[in-house]
Amino acid sequence: MLIKSFKDRDAFYRFLKEKVGIFFKEADSRSFEGIFHVIYFEKKLNPGILFECARQSGVSLFNQEDRYALCGSEAKIRDFCSCIVRDYRELSLNILESLINYRKKSFKLQYNRKILPLGIKTAIMGVLNVTPDSFSDGGMYLETSQAVRKGIQMAQEGAEIIDIGGESTRPDSERISAQEELERVLPVLKQLRRELPNTWISVDTYKAQVAKACLDEGADMINDISGGSFDEGMFDVISAYNCPYILGHTKGKPEEWKHIPIVYDDVVHELIIWFKRRIEKLRQKGYRGDIILDPCIGFGKLPEHNIEILKRFRELKIFGLPLLIGVSRKSFVGLIIEGLLGRKLEPRERLYGSLGALAYPIIEGANIVRVHDVKETKEFLALLDTVKTYGEF
């Protein structure tokens, strides 16, 4: 006897074929019964129509004012969508599209004659801060030669992407001009581009001027913690180049975090609303490149918000886009270790806690991890990715 639980349609599909002997169309159709979903939406609708379709399709529907929760297997939710399509076509299509997005496992980034497949294994983005005041490695790589050596080392250790940052965004950090940021970043970028022609190079900036100058010098990707909200010119630059763009979420600004209340009714729901609006705005600019979403752990978020995002990370798959997670050496890792184990750790001592914080979001759908410790993370991922994808590809 076996007792099995399936979150994944493809896994249930294989089970039906291999164990039960159901094949082709029947197995494909029945496999949707193996996934149970709760779909929440807010919309002014006629609840009578929805409840009648719920009754006919065998799903559960809960309603309070204009808030709805739809519960059932994917097969029955599809039947529900077929029922409501005449009256609420847009809602029906949105639900079906979200289900398709949610199941998406693999992606492919393309730019500058490079291809980075995502899905079979987790890609590593190595952090290269050329700043005097970053929280963990500030001041270590101010000299161009030091920074270039570090970038080459991370590539040799297995980083697919090197992320160069010229301005600290730790709490209470001060903003610097675009010119000062470029003076820090460009020499490193130019030399790394020559030394590592086949490695993806990202630039961590929220400034449109910096992004444009770096893309002109061969950068492959822009990593923007503000999702284009700190500099409205960013979306124009990104759309002109159509480069891969990491769209991050930040509430408030680093210099404000210690002085403003950080409040969320539902942090993940707010993230999803934010991402939806920013994606739509970017696409309206004519952008045709690859968007990667980053919830930006710790950026205008308290420790409890960070943990909730990690726990509910799978919910971000609703967009069908690659997901990035960065927890490396962050303060909430130190706070948890200190609170549970009574040990106060400096940022560079938080490797094991950082790996522990990475494990769950990787299992739940993260495609790229942004880390300081590339070699150790590479070994960690070799085992985790093997277990995660065993029998799936």
Side-chain angles (χ1 to χ4, degrees):
M1 178 180 292
L2 292 175
I3 299 177
K4 300 179 70 69
S5 176
F6 296 96
K7 294 181 181 179
D8 182 272
R9 170 182 176 260
D10 292 335
F12 188 45
Y13 178 87
R14 285 192 302 274
F15 178 80
L16 288 175
K17 289 200 300 182
E18 294 170 7
K19 291 290 188 183
V20 187
I22 298 176
F23 294 97
F24 307 115
K25 289 185 178 180
E26 185 182 1
D28 183 63
S29 175
R30 295 294 299 274
S31 65
F32 288 110
E33 298 176 9
I35 317 168
F36 185 88
H37 293 296
V38 177
I39 296 177
Y40 174 83
F41 54 92
E42 298 177 1
K43 204 170 183 66
K44 193 171 184 62
L45 304 165
N46 180 346
I49 294 173
L50 300 188
F51 276 104
E52 176 57 25
C53 284
R55 184 189 66 79
Q56 292 181 25
S57 56
V59 298
S60 298
L61 182 67
F62 302 91
N63 164 241
Q64 182 68 32
E65 297 179 340
D66 295 330
R67 303 188 302 275
Y68 296 86
L70 181 68
C71 313
S73 71
E74 185 166 339
K76 292 181 178 179
I77 290 174
R78 284 170 173 268
D79 290 341
F80 173 82
C81 290
S82 297
C83 181
I84 67 168
V85 70
R86 186 181 65 181
D87 297 288
Y88 298 118
R89 178 179 174 79
E90 182 181 357
L91 175 62
S92 174
L93 294 177
N94 284 343
I95 292 173
L96 292 173
E97 182 182 12
S98 296
L99 289 172
I100 293 169
N101 288 342
Y102 197 73
R103 286 192 278 106
K104 194 169 182 180
K105 296 180 184 178
S106 58
F107 306 89
K108 183 169 63 176
L109 305 184
Q110 297 185 76
Y111 193 68
N112 280 346
R113 294 191 291 275
K114 297 184 184 72
I115 296 176
L116 180 60
L118 301 171
I120 295 178
K121 67 173 185 175
T122 307
I124 295 177
M125 170 183 276
V127 178
L128 183 57
N129 287 322
V130 290
T131 60
D133 55 346
S134 289
F135 80 97
S136 174
D137 53 2
M140 292 182 65
Y141 308 111
L142 292 179
E143 294 292 330
T144 299
S145 58
Q146 292 175 320
V148 171
R149 280 196 299 271
K150 179 62 175 177
I152 293 172
Q153 177 189 339
M154 289 193 292
Q156 291 172 340
E157 290 174 346
E160 287 88 356
I161 308 166
I162 307 298
D163 190 38
I164 307 172
E167 178 179 6
S168 173
T169 47
R170 62 173 174 76
D172 258 1
S173 57
E174 296 181 1
R175 302 306 97 219
I176 63 173
S177 68
Q179 184 58 40
E180 184 175 356
E181 188 175 347
L182 285 170
E183 288 172 0
R184 295 175 181 179
V185 171
L186 280 182
V188 178
L189 169 61
K190 290 178 182 179
Q191 194 164 333
L192 268 184
R193 184 74 292 160
R194 289 193 297 270
E195 297 287 341
L196 301 171
N198 299 317
T199 300
W200 288 73
I201 297 180
S202 167
V203 174
D204 181 359
T205 185
Y206 57 81
K207 298 186 182 76
Q209 181 182 340
V210 174
K212 183 180 186 308
C214 292
L215 289 167
D216 286 339
E217 291 296 338
D220 303 300
M221 183 183 301
I222 297 299
N223 179 11
D224 179 3
I225 62 164
S226 80
S229 64
F230 289 1
D231 184 344
E232 289 298 329
M234 178 63 84
F235 281 3
D236 294 315
V237 171
I238 297 302
S239 299
Y241 287 81
N242 285 306
C243 64
Y245 177 60
I246 300 171
L247 195 161
H249 170 276
T250 297
K251 192 166 191 173
K253 295 187 177 180
E255 60 270 29
E256 302 170 342
W257 290 336
K258 289 187 176 180
H259 314 290
I260 62 170
I262 298 175
V263 179
Y264 296 88
D265 288 332
D266 181 331
V267 64
V268 176
H269 194 201
E270 187 167 322
L271 279 172
I272 289 172
I273 293 171
W274 161 269
F275 284 140
K276 185 175 186 296
R277 290 172 179 168
R278 300 309 292 176
I279 291 167
E280 288 175 352
K281 185 166 186 176
L282 181 54
R283 295 297 189 196
Q284 286 168 3
K285 295 280 186 179
Y287 176 74
R288 302 183 308 278
D290 297 307
I291 298 173
I292 301 102
L293 301 181
D294 178 6
C296 290
I297 295 294
F299 285 71
K301 301 167 185 78
L302 300 176
E304 55 267 34
H305 301 138
N306 297 330
I307 296 300
E308 184 163 1
I309 292 168
L310 298 181
K311 179 68 175 178
R312 297 171 58 189
F313 198 81
R314 180 171 290 267
E315 294 176 40
L316 300 179
K317 287 169 64 65
I318 193 171
F319 296 100
L321 295 173
L323 301 174
L324 181 148
I325 189 69
V327 298
S328 183
R329 303 182 182 180
K330 293 198 172 181
S331 60
F332 85 99
V333 174
L335 286 171
I336 291 173
I337 291 173
E338 184 177 2
L340 295 179
L341 304 180
R343 296 203 302 269
K344 188 174 180 63
L345 302 178
E346 294 301 316
R348 292 179 210 171
E349 300 175 304
R350 298 171 187 163
L351 169 63
Y352 301 123
S354 298
L355 294 177
L358 277 182
Y360 198 78
I362 290 171
I363 292 169
E364 293 294 286
N367 305 106
I368 304 171
V369 294
R370 186 177 183 272
V371 303
H372 296 83
D373 305 289
V374 172
K375 178 177 179 291
E376 294 83 354
T377 303
K378 193 73 174 180
E379 294 180 5
F380 171 78
L381 289 174
L383 275 296
L384 185 59
D385 282 342
T386 298
V387 174
K388 175 187 171 186
T389 62
Y390 183 77
E392 293 190 7
F393 292 94

